[in-house]
Amino acid sequence: MNILVIAPHPDDESIGCGGALWNHTQRGDRVSVVYLTSGELGLKHLPHEKAWAIREAEARKASKILGLAEPAFLRCRDWFLGESIEMTAAALEPALKAAAPEMVYLPHPLEWHPDHKAALPIFRSAAEQCGIAPSAVHGYEIWTPLAEYDHVENIDAAMPTKLRAVRAHRSQLEQLPYDRAIRGLNEYRGAIARGCRYAEVFKLIERER
């Protein structure tokens, strides 16, 4: 199965669905990730080019840990994706065509961060232009936990690898302990939603027809 992950920033993929992605790669699925921005505001004290270099190197390291294909970086403006939906969608189209995904992962639309919210309309616009209709689009949680979800993924076996991938984004962990936060959330999901030690949850998103 071909799977595409749309991540507004480097680290979103590892935090939101790193466990599910590792499960996919262990089953032999091909998983690609495209980063809409390179997260320059996560290193706002640096020039954009230097911030891009650091964060993209971290993303490549995380991708290797999870067994993903070589990532694509669109370098759209961090924080302002909602103001450039069509432009970002046009930039996404080549990656979407190359991946030909049967399943897509992206941030769920009720996420607080504006770039996370913009991911779904960007994908929908690009998919319409490409004529691509995946069988499933799953929304993952990053900053805003899902109030309702449709799928629970047991990530007990994946959790050590997921944490390694999250920690590969070292520049961001120096500012906020995302590894500790997501471990706690996944442990809570496992206890409440699945009866396992760790789990990720996803919202099945119906594409507009």
Side-chain angles (χ1 to χ4, degrees):
M1 178 183 289
N2 289 336
I3 295 164
L4 178 65
V5 187
I6 296 174
H9 317 95
D11 74 9
D12 291 338
E13 81 301 330
S14 298
I15 294 169
C17 54
L21 301 184
W22 188 82
N23 286 348
H24 278 295
T25 61
Q26 295 307 293
R27 293 194 291 265
D29 295 333
R30 185 181 190 279
V31 184
S32 305
V33 57
V34 57
Y35 297 97
L36 303 182
T37 82
S38 290
E40 62 269 15
L41 293 186
L43 292 170
K44 61 180 67 177
H45 61 290
L46 297 177
H48 287 182
E49 290 78 7
K50 189 167 185 179
W52 289 339
I54 291 171
R55 299 210 63 187
E56 289 175 8
E58 292 172 343
R60 288 189 177 94
K61 182 176 180 181
S63 292
K64 287 182 180 178
I65 290 169
L66 293 173
L68 312 184
E70 179 67 18
F73 301 94
L74 303 188
R75 291 187 175 178
C76 298
R77 290 181 66 199
D78 193 356
W79 195 265
F80 295 100
L81 292 180
E83 298 179 12
S84 55
I85 299 292
E86 297 306 319
M87 184 181 301
T88 308
L92 176 61
E93 286 179 30
L96 195 56
K97 290 176 182 176
E102 299 158 76
M103 181 181 294
V104 170
Y105 288 91
L106 47 72
H108 73 83
L110 296 180
E111 278 277 326
W112 173 84
H113 195 293
D115 287 349
H116 299 177
K117 288 181 180 179
L120 180 57
I122 289 168
F123 163 71
R124 282 176 168 160
S125 178
E128 182 177 359
Q129 291 300 314
C130 294
I132 290 176
S135 59
V137 179
H138 290 290
Y140 58 82
E141 51 187 3
I142 311 166
W143 283 16
T144 308
L146 281 160
E148 298 179 356
Y149 45 85
D150 303 293
H151 176 70
V152 182
E153 183 83 11
N154 183 325
I155 61 167
D156 284 354
M159 196 65 193
T161 306
K162 170 173 178 164
L163 288 174
R164 283 178 56 218
V166 171
R167 290 166 182 157
H169 298 278
R170 182 176 176 181
S171 67
Q172 302 309 290
L173 263 68
E174 290 174 354
Q175 303 174 56
L176 289 171
Y178 288 118
D179 56 340
R180 188 177 70 187
I182 198 59
R183 181 172 184 166
L185 177 59
N186 291 161
E187 189 167 14
Y188 174 79
R189 293 306 195 189
I192 300 300
R194 187 63 185 256
C196 55
R197 186 168 184 187
Y198 298 106
E200 292 171 342
V201 300
F202 301 92
K203 184 68 176 177
L204 181 61
I205 300 169
E206 298 294 338
R207 289 186 58 233
E208 292 177 350
R209 299 295 180 181

